[in-house]
């Protein structure tokens, strides 16, 4: 039995990336901006110094980029189905080693109304965490480290 994979093309106004470069709130905001927006909601995920009470010194992210981008495209397509007024969807995720305080993920949604923008942005980050093939390695202060998928980490890491 074979499984069909649906390839989703990104909407022309949306932006997506997975890269090693630091993420910029200003850049993501400008990519989500549109003259018909009444709201731009941005969710910024940052590296914190502890998880579950255990000291963290840094995180290392890896992704299966082609599949992760397809997940991003599908998230945006789903958003446009659920909230048809959405103008822009922007999803950027970093990979590589990130230090405490650095931004690991930025999700932005531009929309005429704030309630839809908030809902769509929350849907985007929640779905990304459950479905995107992105993994992080937590480097602990005691010298140990552990790889976890973002989805598997979600209950303990929010």
């Amino acid at each position: 039995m074979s499984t069909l994979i649906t390839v989703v093309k990104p909407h022309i106004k949306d932006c997506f990336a997975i890269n090693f470069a630091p993420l910029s709130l200003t850049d993501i905001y400008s990519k989500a901006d549109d003259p018909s927006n009444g709201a731009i909601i941005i969710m910024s995920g940052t590296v914190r110094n502890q998880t579950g009470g255990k000291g963290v010194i840094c995180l290392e992210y890896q992704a299966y980029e082609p599949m992760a981008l397809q997940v991003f495209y599908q998230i945006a397509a789903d958003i446009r189905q659920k909230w048809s007024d959405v103008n822009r969807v922007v999803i950027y995720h970093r990979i590589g080693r990130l230090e405490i305080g650095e931004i690991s993920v930025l999700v932005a949604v531009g929309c005429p109304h704030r309630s839809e923008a908030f809902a769509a942005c929350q849907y985007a980050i929640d779905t990304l965490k459950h479905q995107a093939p992105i993994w992080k390695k937590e480097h602990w202060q005691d010298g140990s480290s552990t790889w976890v998928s973002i989805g598997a980490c979600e209950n303990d890491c929010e």
Side-chain angles (χ1 to χ4, degrees):
M1 180 162 92
S2 65
T3 302
L4 293 176
I5 297 174
T6 303
V7 176
V8 178
K9 300 283 187 192
H11 189 278
I12 194 164
K13 291 185 173 185
D14 297 341
C15 296
F16 310 96
I18 296 173
N19 57 38
F20 287 98
L23 301 177
S24 162
L25 284 166
T26 304
D27 182 46
I28 298 307
Y29 184 93
S30 69
K31 290 178 184 321
D33 200 9
D34 186 275
S36 61
N37 285 342
I40 296 174
I41 303 301
I42 299 176
M43 194 305 270
S44 172
T46 58
V47 179
R48 63 179 174 261
N49 65 358
Q50 61 83 32
T51 297
K54 191 172 180 181
V56 173
I57 57 169
C58 68
L59 298 179
E60 181 181 342
Y61 285 92
Q62 288 187 4
Y64 179 51
E65 189 171 341
M67 187 181 290
L69 287 170
Q70 277 296 312
V71 170
F72 294 0
Y73 303 161
Q74 185 63 57
I75 289 168
D78 293 348
I79 284 172
R80 289 180 178 286
Q81 263 192 328
K82 293 176 188 229
W83 299 280
S84 60
D85 286 344
V86 166
N87 293 312
R88 306 278 172 101
V89 177
V90 181
I91 302 173
Y92 274 48
H93 205 296
R94 271 191 77 188
I95 53 175
R97 183 182 172 104
L98 281 74
E99 302 298 325
I100 303 302
E102 288 190 280
I103 298 170
S104 58
V105 61
L106 287 172
V107 175
V109 176
C111 189
H113 306 288
R114 69 181 177 274
S115 61
E116 290 88 351
F118 273 112
C121 192
Q122 181 169 358
Y123 172 84
I125 190 62
D126 290 349
T127 305
L128 180 155
K129 290 181 79 163
H130 284 296
Q131 296 182 5
I134 300 171
W135 303 270
K136 71 178 177 182
K137 187 175 192 177
E138 297 172 320
H139 293 270
W140 307 104
Q141 287 179 349
D142 66 9
S144 64
S145 60
T146 307
W147 278 104
V148 295
S149 73
I150 292 176
C153 174
E154 184 174 317
N155 291 333
D156 295 330
C157 302
E158 287 195 65

